[in-house]
């Protein structure tokens, strides 16, 4: 469903509903007030006539007196809207003071206990009247009737006015819905065009032209993201260009060596825990190899020579593959001698153990100066640390360049942390 249709289905019915509810409440309130006013007017006429009847010693003689009857009729004519005034004697006879003779027949109303109003009703010709009743002290009661047709005419006029207002509210809601929907659709279309232009790396529309504040903020955010992404790409391109200019064979070999020889960490090598890691600017030919065969294991660290850094790295990769496959296949010393001769290994350190004869905590490394001796002393003073923790501490304390490996019995891991 489109945005325009959604607004039309929501806003216009909402305006109609609100206008209809308010109009119905207004009509009900106005009619109730008008009926209450007619009822009070009829009750006032009935009570006034009942007061006249109460002061007469003989009600029948008083209403039969031409002078008094003429006075009552003259007073009745002065009451606005009065269409009928009747006195029902205690004997049940109805005396007409004003109004048509047949408008009120005997027995139509019962004597009330106090002044009250009967529901608005219509007589035989269909004319609607409001009726007020008032009791007389010595028996009987007074009936006063007020013409209700003017009130219903006003209600019809009010009803027509309310219908016109409801229709106008519906048209207003429809116009507002169309205007708002058109504005939002236009803003979203421009925003989509802006995003499309950014995606195609083309000039975008002017953000200041947006009429809706939230849409303008969204367009500004998209433009900011575009600028940020463009800046990030430019910085990345600049960094790649710089690295390309600074890249040489040694740097390439060192970068690939970090991928080819990731940090080694094993806690289940024939009952021993093993860790090995390149530290700092390690030689390009440095390598480590862990060989596990059943209940036996061996760890070798070494450095291969070569005419170039890439040649030394290639020798190191070949030496690791050879030693991992063949070191424990026969005599380890003989395999190491073959590896030295075949791969040009200049420096080498190794250790072997079995599950029956686990190794002591020791350090194997290719470090410059006395860094290796310091690492060995550190392991001797902290036998409870795991091999990974030992390498972390040595790297933080000494910042050495080279290759460091640590072997410890499996139970040594209990002291880690």
């Amino acid at each position: 469903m489109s945005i325009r249709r959604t607004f039309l289905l929501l806003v216009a019915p909402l305006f109609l509903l609100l206008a209809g509810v308010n109009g119905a409440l207004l009509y009900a309130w106005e009619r109730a007030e008008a009926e209450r006013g007619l009822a009070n007017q009829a009750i006032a006429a009935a009570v006034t006539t009942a007061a006249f009847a109460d002061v007469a010693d003989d009600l029948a003689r008083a209403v039969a007196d031409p002078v008094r009857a003429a006075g009552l009729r003259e007073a009745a004519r002065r009451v606005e809207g009065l269409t009928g005034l009747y006195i029902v004697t205690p004997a049940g006879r109805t005396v007409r003071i004003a109004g048509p003779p047949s408008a009120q027949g005997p027995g139509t109303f019962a004597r009330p206990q106090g002044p009250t109003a009967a529901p608005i009703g219509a007589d035989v010709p269909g004319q609607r009247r409001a009726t007020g009743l008032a009791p007389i002290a010595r028996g009987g009661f007074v009936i006063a009737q007020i013409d209700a047709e003017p009130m219903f005419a006003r209600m019809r006029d009010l009803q027509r006015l309310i219908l016109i207002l409801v229709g106008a509210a519906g048209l207003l809601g429809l116009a507002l819905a169309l205007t708002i929907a058109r504005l939002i659709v236009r803003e979203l279309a421009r925003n989509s065009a802006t995003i499309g232009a950014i995606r195609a790396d083309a000039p975008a529309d002017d953000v200041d032209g947006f009429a809706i504040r939230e849409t303008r903020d969204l367009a500004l955010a998209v433009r900011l993201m575009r600028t940020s992404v463009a800046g990030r790409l430019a910085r990345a391109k600049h960094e790649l260009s710089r690295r390309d200019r600074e890249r040489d064979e040694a740097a390439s070999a060192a970068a690939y060596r970090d991928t080819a020889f990731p940090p080694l960490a094993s806690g289940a090598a024939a009952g021993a825990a093993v860790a090995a890691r390149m530290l700092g600017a390690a030689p390009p030919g440095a390598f480590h190899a862990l060989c596990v065969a059943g209940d036996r294991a061996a760890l070798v660290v070494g450095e291969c020579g070569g005419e170039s850094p890439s040649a030394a790295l290639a020798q190191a990769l070949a030496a690791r593959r050879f030693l991992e496959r063949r070191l424990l296949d026969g005599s380890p010393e003989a395999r190491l001698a073959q590896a030295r001769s075949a791969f040009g290994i200049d420096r080498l350190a190794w250790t072997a153990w079995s599950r029956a004869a686990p190794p002591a905590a020791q350090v194997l490394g290719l470090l410059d100066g006395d860094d290796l001796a310091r690492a060995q002393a550190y392991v001797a003073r902290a036998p409870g640390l795991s091999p990974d923790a030992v390498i972390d501490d040595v790297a933080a304390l000494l910042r050495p360049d080279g290759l460091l490996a640590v072997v410890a019995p499996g139970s040594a891991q209990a002291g880690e942390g």
Side-chain angles (χ1 to χ4, degrees), residues 5-410:
R5 185 175 300 175
T6 301
F7 267 85
L8 291 178
L9 293 179
L10 290 179
V11 177
L14 180 60
F15 269 74
L16 286 174
L17 177 62
L18 292 177
V21 170
N22 290 330
L25 293 176
L26 176 61
Y27 179 81
W29 183 82
E30 286 290 341
R31 178 165 178 171
E33 288 295 317
E35 290 181 353
R36 187 178 299 111
L38 286 178
N40 291 336
Q41 187 178 355
I43 291 174
V47 169
T48 303
T49 306
F52 163 77
D54 287 340
V55 298
D57 296 332
D58 188 352
L59 180 58
R61 182 180 298 176
V63 296
D65 185 358
V67 178
R68 290 188 176 184
L72 284 175
R73 285 192 293 271
E74 181 63 23
R77 280 194 298 268
R78 296 180 182 276
V79 178
E80 183 180 0
L82 185 68
T83 60
L85 182 61
Y86 310 91
I87 298 177
V88 180
T89 63
R93 187 173 65 89
T94 301
V95 179
R96 178 176 63 88
I97 305 300
S102 60
Q104 175 60 44
T108 304
F109 298 102
R111 182 179 185 276
Q113 298 298 322
T116 185
I120 294 177
D123 56 9
V124 176
Q127 186 177 7
R128 284 169 289 195
R129 293 183 174 88
T131 302
L133 306 175
I136 299 174
R138 296 181 178 82
F141 59 97
V142 177
I143 302 172
Q145 294 180 329
I146 302 296
D147 186 9
E149 291 299 332
M151 183 269 292
F152 283 100
R154 291 195 301 273
M155 291 298 102
R156 285 193 296 269
D157 294 339
L158 179 61
Q159 188 176 19
R160 283 193 293 269
L161 177 60
I162 290 174
L163 291 177
I164 293 173
L165 293 177
V166 170
L171 293 177
L172 178 61
L174 184 62
L176 288 177
L178 287 174
T179 302
I180 296 174
R182 185 178 295 109
L183 180 61
I184 292 178
V185 170
R186 184 182 62 188
E187 298 284 287
L188 292 179
R190 290 189 57 192
N191 205 353
S192 299
T194 301
I195 295 174
I198 291 174
R199 183 180 301 171
D201 199 17
D205 293 338
D206 186 11
V207 176
D208 296 334
F210 287 101
I212 300 178
R213 179 179 178 180
E214 289 76 9
T215 310
R216 187 186 307 118
D217 294 342
L218 179 59
L220 288 173
V222 172
R223 177 172 290 184
L224 179 62
M225 286 189 290
R226 177 195 184 188
T227 304
S228 177
V229 171
R232 187 178 304 172
L233 291 177
R235 289 192 298 272
K237 185 177 180 180
H238 178 74
E239 181 66 18
L240 289 176
S241 299
R242 185 187 65 79
R243 291 183 181 181
D244 288 340
R245 291 191 300 268
E246 296 178 355
R247 192 182 303 276
D248 56 9
E249 184 180 359
S252 300
Y256 182 73
R257 183 203 59 215
D258 294 338
T259 304
F261 293 98
L264 173 66
S266 176
V274 179
R277 193 184 310 168
M278 301 288 179
L279 301 177
F287 71 91
H288 54 73
L290 175 64
C291 180
V292 180
D295 292 339
R296 296 188 302 155
L299 177 64
V300 180
V301 295
E303 179 184 356
C304 297
E307 297 179 355
S308 63
S310 58
L313 178 59
Q315 292 281 63
L317 291 171
R320 181 184 65 176
R321 286 194 299 268
F322 174 79
L323 293 174
E324 287 179 347
R325 296 176 182 176
R326 306 294 298 276
L327 180 61
L328 297 180
D329 185 10
S331 171
E333 291 81 359
R335 298 303 182 190
L336 290 173
Q338 292 178 359
R340 282 179 181 272
S341 175
F343 306 109
I345 299 178
D346 297 332
R347 292 192 292 173
L348 185 69
W350 69 285
T351 184
W353 67 93
S354 64
R355 190 174 297 274
Q362 56 185 302
V363 175
L364 306 176
L366 305 176
L367 303 180
D368 296 333
D370 57 352
D371 288 341
L372 181 60
R374 293 178 179 178
Q376 291 172 343
Y378 184 79
V379 171
R381 294 180 180 178
L385 291 178
S386 67
D388 268 336
V390 171
I391 296 178
D392 289 338
D393 293 347
V394 171
L397 294 173
L398 304 180
R399 298 184 180 277
D401 294 325
L403 173 61
L404 184 64
V406 179
V407 181

